[in-house]
PDB file of all heavy atoms in Angstrom:
ATOM      1  N   PRO A 280     -25.569  -6.311  29.306  1.00 92.00           N
ATOM      2  CA  PRO A 280     -24.869  -5.447  30.288  1.00 92.00           C
ATOM      3  C   PRO A 280     -25.835  -4.904  31.319  1.00 92.00           C
ATOM      4  O   PRO A 280     -27.014  -4.707  31.101  1.00 92.00           O
ATOM      5  CB  PRO A 280     -24.293  -4.328  29.413  1.00 92.00           C
ATOM      6  CG  PRO A 280     -25.033  -4.312  28.160  1.00 92.00           C
ATOM      7  CD  PRO A 280     -25.587  -5.688  27.960  1.00 92.00           C
ATOM      8  N   ASP A 281     -25.272  -4.632  32.488  1.00 89.00           N
ATOM      9  CA  ASP A 281     -26.005  -4.027  33.619  1.00 89.00           C
ATOM     10  C   ASP A 281     -26.003  -2.508  33.417  1.00 89.00           C
ATOM     11  O   ASP A 281     -24.938  -1.896  33.224  1.00 89.00           O
ATOM     12  CB  ASP A 281     -25.278  -4.435  34.913  1.00 89.00           C
ATOM     13  CG  ASP A 281     -25.900  -3.810  36.147  1.00 89.00           C
ATOM     14  OD1 ASP A 281     -26.922  -3.079  36.036  1.00 89.00           O
ATOM     15  OD2 ASP A 281     -25.379  -4.091  37.246  1.00 89.00           O
ATOM     16  N   HIS A 282     -27.145  -1.899  33.479  1.00 88.00           N
ATOM     17  CA  HIS A 282     -27.270  -0.452  33.258  1.00 88.00           C
ATOM     18  C   HIS A 282     -26.615   0.384  34.358  1.00 88.00           C
ATOM     19  O   HIS A 282     -26.353   1.558  34.196  1.00 88.00           O
ATOM     20  CB  HIS A 282     -28.715  -0.032  33.079  1.00 88.00           C
ATOM     21  CG  HIS A 282     -29.532  -0.069  34.328  1.00 88.00           C
ATOM     22  ND1 HIS A 282     -30.021  -1.275  34.839  1.00 88.00           N
ATOM     23  CD2 HIS A 282     -29.889   0.905  35.192  1.00 88.00           C
ATOM     24  CE1 HIS A 282     -30.689  -1.005  35.948  1.00 88.00           C
ATOM     25  NE2 HIS A 282     -30.610   0.307  36.157  1.00 88.00           N
ATOM     26  N   LEU A 283     -26.247  -0.231  35.487  1.00 90.00           N
ATOM     27  CA  LEU A 283     -25.605   0.476  36.554  1.00 90.00           C
ATOM     28  C   LEU A 283     -24.078   0.331  36.511  1.00 90.00           C
ATOM     29  O   LEU A 283     -23.360   0.834  37.383  1.00 90.00           O
ATOM     30  CB  LEU A 283     -26.101  -0.002  37.925  1.00 90.00           C
ATOM     31  CG  LEU A 283     -27.534   0.342  38.285  1.00 90.00           C
ATOM     32  CD1 LEU A 283     -27.967  -0.334  39.566  1.00 90.00           C
ATOM     33  CD2 LEU A 283     -27.712   1.845  38.341  1.00 90.00           C
ATOM     34  N   THR A 284     -23.586  -0.349  35.494  1.00 93.00           N
ATOM     35  CA  THR A 284     -22.156  -0.602  35.370  1.00 93.00           C
ATOM     36  C   THR A 284     -21.641  -0.031  34.045  1.00 93.00           C
ATOM     37  O   THR A 284     -22.248  -0.211  33.002  1.00 93.00           O
ATOM     38  CB  THR A 284     -21.866  -2.115  35.417  1.00 93.00           C
ATOM     39  OG1 THR A 284     -22.348  -2.646  36.646  1.00 93.00           O
ATOM     40  CG2 THR A 284     -20.369  -2.405  35.303  1.00 93.00           C
ATOM     41  N   THR A 285     -20.482   0.602  34.128  1.00 95.00           N
ATOM     42  CA  THR A 285     -19.778   1.077  32.933  1.00 95.00           C
ATOM     43  C   THR A 285     -18.560   0.186  32.757  1.00 95.00           C
ATOM     44  O   THR A 285     -17.818  -0.016  33.711  1.00 95.00           O
ATOM     45  CB  THR A 285     -19.338   2.570  33.086  1.00 95.00           C
ATOM     46  OG1 THR A 285     -20.535   3.358  33.256  1.00 95.00           O
ATOM     47  CG2 THR A 285     -18.579   3.029  31.899  1.00 95.00           C
ATOM     48  N   LEU A 286     -18.372  -0.290  31.548  1.00 97.00           N
ATOM     49  CA  LEU A 286     -17.240  -1.151  31.213  1.00 97.00           C
ATOM     50  C   LEU A 286     -16.361  -0.417  30.220  1.00 97.00           C
ATOM     51  O   LEU A 286     -16.843   0.030  29.184  1.00 97.00           O
ATOM     52  CB  LEU A 286     -17.756  -2.456  30.645  1.00 97.00           C
ATOM     53  CG  LEU A 286     -16.728  -3.548  30.272  1.00 97.00           C
ATOM     54  CD1 LEU A 286     -15.796  -3.867  31.419  1.00 97.00           C
ATOM     55  CD2 LEU A 286     -17.469  -4.780  29.786  1.00 97.00           C
ATOM     56  N   ILE A 287     -15.074  -0.279  30.570  1.00 98.00           N
ATOM     57  CA  ILE A 287     -14.146   0.414  29.692  1.00 98.00           C
ATOM     58  C   ILE A 287     -13.017  -0.547  29.340  1.00 98.00           C
ATOM     59  O   ILE A 287     -12.316  -1.064  30.192  1.00 98.00           O
ATOM     60  CB  ILE A 287     -13.572   1.687  30.398  1.00 98.00           C
ATOM     61  CG1 ILE A 287     -14.663   2.627  30.797  1.00 98.00           C
ATOM     62  CG2 ILE A 287     -12.560   2.367  29.478  1.00 98.00           C
ATOM     63  CD1 ILE A 287     -14.226   3.781  31.688  1.00 98.00           C
ATOM     64  N   PHE A 288     -12.893  -0.778  28.028  1.00 98.00           N
ATOM     65  CA  PHE A 288     -11.802  -1.605  27.507  1.00 98.00           C
ATOM     66  C   PHE A 288     -10.711  -0.713  26.933  1.00 98.00           C
ATOM     67  O   PHE A 288     -11.007   0.270  26.282  1.00 98.00           O
ATOM     68  CB  PHE A 288     -12.293  -2.487  26.369  1.00 98.00           C
ATOM     69  CG  PHE A 288     -13.356  -3.500  26.744  1.00 98.00           C
ATOM     70  CD1 PHE A 288     -14.654  -3.310  26.336  1.00 98.00           C
ATOM     71  CD2 PHE A 288     -13.046  -4.597  27.526  1.00 98.00           C
ATOM     72  CE1 PHE A 288     -15.635  -4.229  26.662  1.00 98.00           C
ATOM     73  CE2 PHE A 288     -14.028  -5.529  27.860  1.00 98.00           C
ATOM     74  CZ  PHE A 288     -15.333  -5.343  27.434  1.00 98.00           C
ATOM     75  N   VAL A 289      -9.465  -1.036  27.191  1.00 98.00           N
ATOM     76  CA  VAL A 289      -8.331  -0.315  26.598  1.00 98.00           C
ATOM     77  C   VAL A 289      -7.506  -1.326  25.844  1.00 98.00           C
ATOM     78  O   VAL A 289      -7.027  -2.333  26.397  1.00 98.00           O
ATOM     79  CB  VAL A 289      -7.473   0.380  27.696  1.00 98.00           C
ATOM     80  CG1 VAL A 289      -6.343   1.170  27.008  1.00 98.00           C
ATOM     81  CG2 VAL A 289      -8.301   1.273  28.587  1.00 98.00           C
TER      82      VAL A 289
END
Side-chain angles (χ1 to χ4, degrees):
D281 177 1
H282 71 282
L283 292 174
T284 301
T285 298
L286 181 55
I287 301 170
F288 297 108
V289 183

